[in-house]
């Protein structure tokens, strides 16, 4: 249930330009890939043979579409409060999620996942420069701006300016690391925990974690404080 492409590009920092072509705009979709056509033919054959039903396929699609960032927020909240869990999550994300959170069925079909942590002096932001690869099982449907050619191109070349447009002003000493997702690899950002949340329970902490925080274009804010706005 993700946009596939054949380019196995890797994460790069904010000074690194890229010269591979960008995917077409969302209103100019590319022709179906060979894998997509094969999936469609196999699905139709299995339905015809009675192995699965069209209703089952639609239920699975509806389940995928119903995912939302709340699950990712719960993972971040636990990482904020459980140092051992956080270390294991960063070292082995999918295995840790399956073992420690009871969401094995959710992550079982995911591509590889890499978890990166924001900390003082280091800020991570995620993009897919070729299309819109994104950890849908944890964050739900990607926002329109994530798929837009303007974001995909500019955040690699001028991340500081793009983040400022989201309302996130970073000082010049902060290193910005831009991570480029692929068909085989997704990223999840653990944002910095806001000061003043010591002693908060997991539910209250998770309520601070937005989708945009886990992409890296904003940071969690306490209620009543200024925050970055989505483009």
């Amino acid at each position: 249930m993700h946009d596939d492409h054949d380019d196995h590009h890797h994460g790069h920092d904010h000074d690194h330009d890229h010269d591979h072509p960008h995917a077409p705009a969302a209103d100019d979709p590319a022709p179906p890939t060979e894998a997509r056509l094969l999936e469609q033919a196999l699905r139709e054959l299995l339905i015809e043979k009675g192995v699965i039903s069209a209703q089952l396929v639609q239920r699975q699609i509806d389940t995928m579409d119903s995912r939302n960032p709340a699950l990712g927020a719960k993972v971040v909240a636990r990482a904020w409060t459980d140092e051992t869990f956080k270390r294991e999550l960063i070292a082995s994300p999918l295995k840790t999620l399956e073992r420690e959170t009871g969401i094995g069925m959710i992550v079982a079909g995911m591509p590889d996942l890499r978890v990166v942590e924001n900390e003082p002096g280091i800020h991570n932001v995620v993009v897919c420069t070729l299309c819109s690869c994104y950890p849908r099982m944890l964050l739900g449907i990607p926002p329109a701006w994530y798929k837009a050619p303007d974001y995909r191109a500019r955040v690699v070349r001028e991340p500081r300016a793009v983040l400022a447009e989201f309302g996130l002003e970073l000082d010049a000493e902060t290193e910005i690391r831009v991570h480029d997702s692929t068909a085989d690899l997704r990223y999840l950002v653990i944002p910095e925990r806001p000061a003043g949340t010591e002693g908060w329970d997991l539910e209250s902490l998770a309520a601070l974690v937005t989708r945009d925080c886990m992409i890296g274009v904003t940071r969690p804010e306490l209620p009543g404080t200024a925050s970055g706005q989505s483009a």
Side-chain angles (χ1 to χ4, degrees):
M1 301 305 297
H2 56 273
D3 298 315
D4 292 327
H5 52 70
D6 295 326
D7 182 84
H8 298 282
H9 47 299
H10 301 285
H12 40 70
D13 62 31
H14 60 287
D15 296 321
H16 182 71
D17 285 334
H18 57 287
D19 56 7
H20 45 262
H22 293 297
D27 57 357
D28 184 23
T33 63
E34 181 178 350
R36 180 72 67 185
L37 293 172
L38 179 60
E39 179 274 330
Q40 181 177 351
L42 180 59
R43 170 165 42 87
E44 292 176 353
L45 178 61
L46 291 173
I47 291 174
E48 180 182 341
K49 296 294 185 181
V51 178
I52 60 175
S53 67
Q55 291 78 10
L56 175 61
V57 172
Q58 188 58 52
R59 282 200 300 271
Q60 292 298 321
I61 293 172
D62 292 342
T63 297
M64 177 73 75
D65 288 344
S66 70
R67 301 296 181 198
N68 62 66
L71 184 56
K74 290 179 181 177
V75 171
V76 169
R78 180 166 175 190
W80 280 348
T81 59
D82 186 336
E83 189 67 29
T84 299
F85 172 76
K86 182 174 71 174
R87 287 198 305 267
E88 293 175 349
L89 180 67
I90 293 173
S92 186
L94 293 182
K95 289 182 179 179
T96 301
L97 289 174
E98 183 173 10
R99 184 183 68 246
E100 298 291 335
T101 64
I103 59 173
M105 291 296 293
I106 293 177
V107 302
M110 281 186 64
D112 196 13
L113 178 68
R114 186 169 298 167
V115 176
V116 292
E117 182 184 13
N118 289 347
E119 53 189 296
I122 297 175
H123 186 88
N124 297 279
V125 61
V126 181
V127 66
C128 178
T129 55
L130 288 184
C131 55
S132 57
C133 294
Y134 183 83
R136 292 174 183 238
M137 301 305 286
L138 290 172
L139 301 188
I141 302 300
W145 56 261
Y146 183 84
K147 299 181 284 186
D150 184 59
Y151 174 79
R152 291 172 9 224
R154 290 183 57 225
V155 76
V156 176
R157 296 196 304 265
E158 48 180 354
R160 200 174 300 275
V162 171
L163 294 178
E165 291 169 13
F166 280 88
L168 180 56
E169 300 279 355
L170 298 175
D171 58 56
E173 289 72 33
T174 297
E175 176 188 355
I176 302 176
R177 298 176 179 176
V178 181
H179 302 277
D180 199 351
S181 298
T182 74
D184 301 315
L185 178 64
R186 304 290 194 267
Y187 287 89
L188 176 71
V189 175
I190 300 177
E192 287 188 78
R193 179 174 176 172
T197 59
E198 297 77 9
W200 285 30
D201 60 27
L202 290 176
E203 183 177 353
S204 299
L205 289 171
L208 300 177
V209 184
T210 66
R211 173 202 65 198
D212 291 2
C213 293
M214 294 180 283
I215 300 173
V217 295
T218 62
R219 56 168 49 127
E221 301 285 352
L222 296 179
T225 61
S227 62
Q229 300 296 317
S230 296

